[in-house]
Each structure stands twice: as C-alpha cells, then as structure tokens.
Amino acid sequence: MIRSLAFAAVLLASPAYAAPAVWKVDSAKSKISFSGTAPEGAFTGTFGKWTANIKFSPNELPASSAAVTITLDSARLPDPVGTASLKEDDWFKIKMFPNATYTTSSIKSLGGNKYEATGTLKIRDKTVPAKLPFTLTIAGKTATMNGSVLIDRFAFDVGKPIGEDIVSKNIRVDIAVVATTP
C-alpha cells in the first residue's frame, strides 16, 4: 500500500501531471484593440486598462484557462467625441456595466503554434459564447500570443439603435499579449 501511494505521488509530481504555468501579462508590451467602420471611414480604438489571469501549458490544455477583465471606461478612439459616446447608455453603459469579461471553458490545439479558446464573453448584461483562435509562441519563460475575433455588437445591445449603415455591426477585436512565468 505504501509503495502504491509513493508511486502515485511520483506520478502526480512528474512534468506530465504538472499544473499549467501561471503567466503574468507585461502590460507595456500587450494590447487589446478594436476596429470597424463608420461613415468617416475605418476606425481603430484601444482598451487601456485590462487584467488577465492566465494558466497555460501546451502539455496540459484541459487544465489551462484564462479570465480577462476589461475596464470599459478605458476604451479610447482617436476622436474624443467618439470616445465619450462609448461611455453612454446606447454603447457600453459603463455606469451600470463597468467591465467586460472573457472566460475560457476550454483551450484546444489546432496544430503547431495555433490554438482555439472556447468560452463566454460578457458585455453589459449579455453573455455570449465566443471562440478565440490564437497563435502562441513560448520562448523560455516568455510567451507571445496573438488573436483576433469578430464580435457582433448587436448580440450585446452595444450601439444597437445605431444601424449597421452607420457603424459596422461586426467589430474586430485584436489581442496581442506578452506574458512571463517565474
């Protein structure tokens, strides 16, 4: 019996059974941006404040996860009027819903350095299933992740009174993250 317990302890402590690494985002090198079109032409904005809790190992995908919280008040467009409008009730309604969240339920390999996270995106009071394809390169203790996804803003009632002919219904979100692990 003692041998069986010792063997189980060795197996659980081995790298094949190790928990995924915890990654710390380097905010200065990471960015979440969004883009679409309006009558004036294409626009690109950024979210200046967000946090991510990331546990990831390519060898432990079932135990890997990510939870991202975006402070919607940090959204910026090149135009100050556009930036101000994002805070209003027709758009993010930040007084009532200050944050957006993305939480993974699973991450799978697509081969090579390509992955897909499946989870939910919550904006305002709407939670919608969302898949995020991304690439990931790990070099030593530094990981670089890049991903893009199209978001249907109408699914979240964001800017819904504004028709697609004014602002594009689908907004592209680009994520570029550099993170380190101890």
Side-chain angles (χ1 to χ4, degrees):
M1 171 87 157
I2 292 176
R3 275 192 175 149
S4 296
L5 289 174
F7 181 68
V10 168
L11 277 178
L12 291 173
S14 73
Y17 293 97
V22 174
W23 295 88
K24 182 180 179 198
V25 173
D26 183 336
S27 300
K29 296 179 181 177
S30 302
K31 181 179 179 179
I32 298 178
S33 60
F34 56 94
S35 58
T37 58
E40 302 81 26
F43 64 85
T44 299
T46 58
F47 292 103
K49 187 175 178 187
W50 53 276
T51 59
N53 294 316
I54 303 168
K55 296 176 185 172
F56 185 88
S57 171
N59 299 323
E60 293 295 329
L61 290 178
S64 296
S65 64
V68 180
T69 301
I70 300 168
T71 303
L72 295 175
D73 190 31
S74 72
R76 298 291 180 265
L77 290 165
D79 171 25
V81 173
T83 296
S85 70
L86 290 176
K87 300 174 185 188
E88 296 174 3
D89 288 353
D90 289 344
W91 292 91
F92 289 138
K93 197 174 187 174
I94 63 166
K95 287 181 184 173
M96 192 171 230
F97 306 106
N99 299 315
T101 58
Y102 179 72
T103 306
T104 64
S105 54
S106 67
I107 300 173
K108 70 178 181 179
S109 173
L110 300 178
N113 69 341
K114 296 179 182 177
Y115 297 87
E116 181 179 74
T118 298
T120 55
L121 177 61
K122 182 176 182 182
I123 302 174
R124 295 171 57 120
D125 58 346
K126 308 288 184 201
T127 302
V128 175
K131 291 187 178 189
L132 173 64
F134 64 94
T135 60
L136 180 73
T137 304
I138 299 175
K141 295 182 179 245
T142 301
T144 303
M145 175 270 199
N146 288 287
S148 294
V149 65
L150 285 178
I151 307 267
D152 174 358
R153 66 181 173 88
F154 288 1
F156 300 96
D157 292 334
V158 172
K160 197 159 186 177
I162 308 300
E164 190 173 358
D165 56 328
I166 302 295
V167 175
S168 51
K169 177 182 172 199
N170 292 313
I171 302 297
R172 180 182 166 122
V173 177
D174 293 306
I175 301 107
V177 175
V178 175
T180 57
T181 190

